[in-house]
Amino acid sequence: MDFAFDARTEELRGRLLAFMDEHVYPAEAVAEEQRAALADPWTAPPVVAELQQEARRRGLWNLFFTNQHGLPEQEYGAGLTNLQYAPLAEITGRSPQLAPTALNCAAPDTGNMELLARFGTEEQRKRWLEPLLDGRIRSAFAMTEPDVASSDATNIETRIVRDGGDYVIDGRKWYISGAMNPACEIFVVMGKTDPDGEDPRRQQSMVLVPRDTPGLRVRRAMRVYGYEDHYHGGHAEVLFEGVRVPAANLVGEEGGGFAIAQARLGPGRIHHCMRLIGMAERAIELMCRRALDRTAFGKPLAAQGVIQEWIADARVAVEQLRLLVLKTAWLMDTVGNRGAHTEIQAIKIATPRTVAGIIDRAVQLHGAGGVGQDFPLAELWAAARTLRLADGPDEVHQRSLARRELRQYR
């Protein structure tokens, strides 16, 4: 990254780059060894707590909490703008399993904290937001369902029924990130409180469900291209069978679930794209080192024309993506998420697709090593490819973006 940001961002970048070099990268192998020795593979390796302690000491904690919601800067996070956070999130993307968690900037907790800060009651913030901000607990966001196309939230089948002073929840969710982690103590659950309502976008609501609530059952871990993502608490299938919670656990108002979900997903989408830029940079670095170290057919791989093309194309693509992500961050800061709607969709379409292609080239260059556990490339590719589905599949964003574009000419 050749251009300069404001002084505060540059200072934080320096601190974060040093933290990555001195602590995070060396911890990657340590974390794998520790996790293999744990009785419960979903428990965070001890080195994660050490990284979190060091991140706090260096003032690198809760950086994700941007001030776009007008929340008190001294109360939540570092008070950065999206534009200031973007280059920091990119750096954490170079080690996506460890760095975001080390800084308490990992999904789904980030989105849940923003949701609680913006829509939660004072009691909900005290009970759940404070320990999340402090890193004492983890959380899950339960929206996706196996039996419907969950990219259209109006399809959600989980029912949330008012019964006196309680809500009773019944439904089946899957790929609920973080739910396997024993530190996950709270689920943000989306379901329908008014399934027959006239407005399909006012049928949904969100409620907070503590993990130990009777009727909530974490059934199994779901794999993603063969990986179980132990560091972020996995992706679980979760059953809600007669789950009863107080009406005070409602987030916002009845019928507000769809709007809350959209408000939550906007920042989540750009955070994913920020980190994807870092994943691409890690892949380019590995590609270049491998090309210089390996010889085939009498000359280094770096001298092969096709390899040079891969590296050049990767560099051009990353610079283009970074500028688009930064533009989107700036628009979110200046005109809000709604004003940046087109750009948010554009980065969500372009970034995972392009970065997955870059990582795929890096895998190819590494040969058999690229698909194995000795390099991070296979896991990076799985994460990038998955993000073409997470937070809305490509096709949904393409459909919406095209409609918006066509509207100008009708």
Side-chain angles (χ1 to χ4, degrees), residues 154-175:
T154 63
N155 286 334
I156 297 298
E157 293 184 340
T158 293
R159 295 293 183 259
I160 302 174
V161 179
R162 184 69 182 257
D163 182 24
D166 297 333
Y167 284 107
V168 180
I169 306 154
D170 287 280
R172 177 182 172 213
K173 304 285 189 178
W174 73 344
Y175 283 96

Side-chain angles (χ1 to χ4, degrees), residues 171-289:
R172 177 182 172 213
K173 304 285 189 178
W174 73 344
Y175 283 96
I176 305 309
S177 300
M180 298 300 298
N181 191 325
C184 174
E185 294 190 13
I186 186 67
F187 287 73
V188 182
V189 182
M190 184 168 177
K192 287 188 176 180
T193 45
D194 186 16
D196 300 318
E198 184 177 341
D199 184 350
R201 298 191 177 192
R202 293 285 301 171
Q203 297 174 350
Q204 306 82 12
S205 300
M206 289 193 188
V207 292
L208 300 174
V209 181
R211 185 191 189 95
D212 59 1
T213 306
L216 189 162
R217 180 159 62 98
V218 178
R219 185 177 183 187
R220 58 172 175 159
M222 306 299 302
R223 294 176 180 172
V224 179
Y225 289 107
Y227 292 100
E228 291 185 323
D229 195 5
H230 296 92
Y231 293 99
H232 293 153
H235 310 281
E237 180 182 0
V238 184
L239 298 180
F240 298 87
E241 299 172 313
V243 173
R244 183 177 292 269
V245 297
N249 285 27
L250 178 72
V251 180
E253 62 178 4
E254 275 199 19
F258 188 94
I260 293 173
Q262 293 306 306
R264 183 189 184 279
L265 289 171
R269 286 166 180 149
I270 193 170
H271 292 172
H272 281 314
C273 291
M274 292 168 179
R275 287 188 291 266
L276 278 162
I277 302 295
M279 292 164 61
E281 288 286 8
R282 183 85 183 267
I284 292 172
E285 177 187 335
L286 290 168
M287 202 186 312
C288 290
R289 294 186 184 281

Side-chain angles (χ1 to χ4, degrees), residues 102-134:
L103 276 58
N104 207 35
C105 293
D109 296 322
T110 49
N112 290 340
M113 285 188 268
E114 289 178 330
L115 181 151
L116 287 166
R118 187 171 178 183
F119 302 101
T121 65
E122 182 177 350
E123 177 58 31
Q124 289 170 353
R125 290 195 294 268
K126 183 175 180 59
R127 176 67 183 88
W128 303 112
L129 177 58
E130 290 183 10
L132 281 167
L133 285 166
D134 198 42

